[in-house]
DNA sequence: GTCAATGCAAATCGTTTGCATGAAC
DNA sequence: GTTCATGCAAACGATTTGCATTGAC
């Protein structure tokens, strides 16, 4: 598990090299922030975290956006947009999962259900779709907020 | 089915009266556009459609946004945000359904799967969530685009 | 040395708001 | 006549872009 982080960084290095692009500290920092995050973060939250955790790096918000687009494109991270809280990112190093979201306090619970995954495959097949990914959110009120 | 539209308009009239608000042509137009739409529309698409379909109405974009917020709040319409295409709306007069989305051409297929619906309920119960709604999207490549 | 990536500021996009006017009740 | 809703334009927040500079290779 702990070693996973190194693997993801290596993956990033490989992708960058393969594409003939350059490996920069900034992209690495953004990816690391997301790997260590327990929650889903917006671009601005990531930017603020970097300023706190890596005060020497002097990264610009535009670079954060550019790094996020890049990392999402190469599938190292993923984004979801819930309600009015804007686009949020999470690392793809985590196993696949869906989300239960409390509409009162914003709490997010992650879960996986094998049965649902199977049905999704079946539905895609029925419609002649080749599925690349999916996202599912259940909105509701968590036990604390009820 | 054809009669459904009238029912929805009556529902809107009822809600508006109940809340002590005013019944306006603008809110009706926005709702009608969504009821007749075959696809999911953004606020701007709705605005443009109104200018074409109801050229005499002289509705402002701000009013479209206000009408959409209102209609969503009273649950006559619903919104989803996929990928980078922004927030899109659809009428709730349709039955509940989920979405299969082609990432190449943007085609959207709607479906419902009872088994998945049941599992979702179960998962929510396990986590002590009171579910109010959910949204599920399968992304992939449709038969035409493969 | 070359070319991609960066930081910064300006520009842009979608959405919201303030306010005077108009329409529903 | 009162109050809510509208249209317009200005304001806003999030994201993107242009450009000169820096840093990776």
């Amino acid at each position: 598990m702990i070693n996973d982080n190194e693997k993801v960084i290596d993956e990033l290095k490989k992708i960058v090299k393969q594409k003939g692009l350059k490996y920069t500290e900034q992209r690495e920092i953004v990816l690391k922030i997301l790997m260590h995050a327990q929650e889903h973060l917006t671009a601005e939250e990531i930017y603020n975290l970097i300023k706190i955790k890596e005060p020497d790096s002097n990264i610009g918000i535009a670079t954060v956006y550019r790094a996020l687009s890049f990392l999402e494109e190469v599938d190292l991270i993923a984004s979801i947009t819930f309600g009015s809280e804007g686009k949020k990112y999470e690392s793809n190093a985590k196993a696949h999962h869906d989300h239960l979201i409390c509409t009162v306090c914003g709490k997010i619970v992650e879960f996986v259900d094998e049965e649902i995954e199977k049905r999704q495959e079946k539905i895609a097949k029925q419609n002649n779709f080749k599925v690349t990914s999916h996202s599912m959110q259940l909105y509701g009120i968590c036990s604390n907020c009820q």
Side-chain angles (χ1 to χ4, degrees), chain A:
Chain A
M1 257 308 182
I2 281 159
N3 217 0
D4 252 16
N5 289 348
E6 277 312 311
K7 275 191 199 160
V8 178
I9 296 292
D10 284 350
E11 182 67 20
L12 173 59
K13 283 181 182 159
K14 209 174 83 188
I15 291 167
V16 163
K17 181 171 260 178
Q18 204 176 43
K19 295 200 164 216
L21 303 177
K22 286 159 189 178
Y23 192 82
T24 64
E25 198 198 4
Q26 288 86 339
R27 299 214 253 237
E28 187 182 305
I29 290 176
V30 170
L31 181 54
K32 278 188 177 164
I33 290 274
L34 282 171
M35 288 191 306
H36 296 127
Q38 294 309 309
E39 346 131 70
H40 302 74
L41 301 172
T42 64
E44 217 145 342
E45 286 165 347
I46 294 165
Y47 176 63
N48 290 330
L49 274 176
I50 293 173
K51 286 203 293 192
I52 296 165
K53 291 198 181 179
E54 313 272 345
D56 305 332
S57 70
N58 189 31
I59 195 170
I61 185 80
T63 300
V64 173
Y65 278 104
R66 284 186 280 229
L68 288 170
S69 304
F70 175 78
L71 294 171
E72 187 174 14
E73 208 180 291
V74 302
D75 227 40
L76 287 173
I77 65 173
S79 69
I80 2 169
T81 312
F82 330 117
S84 56
E85 285 166 67
K87 200 171 187 177
K88 295 192 170 191
Y89 293 87
E90 64 179 333
S91 165
N92 269 345
K94 297 176 173 190
H96 162 73
H97 56 260
D98 295 309
H99 302 100
L100 251 168
I101 302 155
C102 177
T103 52
V104 178
C105 68
K107 181 184 174 192
I108 299 173
V109 176
E110 299 175 348
F111 70 89
V112 194
D113 184 273
E114 272 314 316
E115 191 58 40
I116 290 179
E117 303 290 320
K118 272 187 217 155
R119 303 289 300 186
Q120 287 176 332
E121 272 307 317
K122 198 170 164 189
I123 288 157
K125 206 169 273 176
Q126 281 167 3
N127 289 277
N128 292 314
F129 264 65
K130 191 169 284 178
V131 175
T132 50
S133 69
H134 73 261
S135 111
M136 179 174 128
Q137 295 88 241
L138 303 184
Y139 295 94
I141 304 170
C142 75
S143 48
N144 283 341
C145 294
Q146 278 171 32

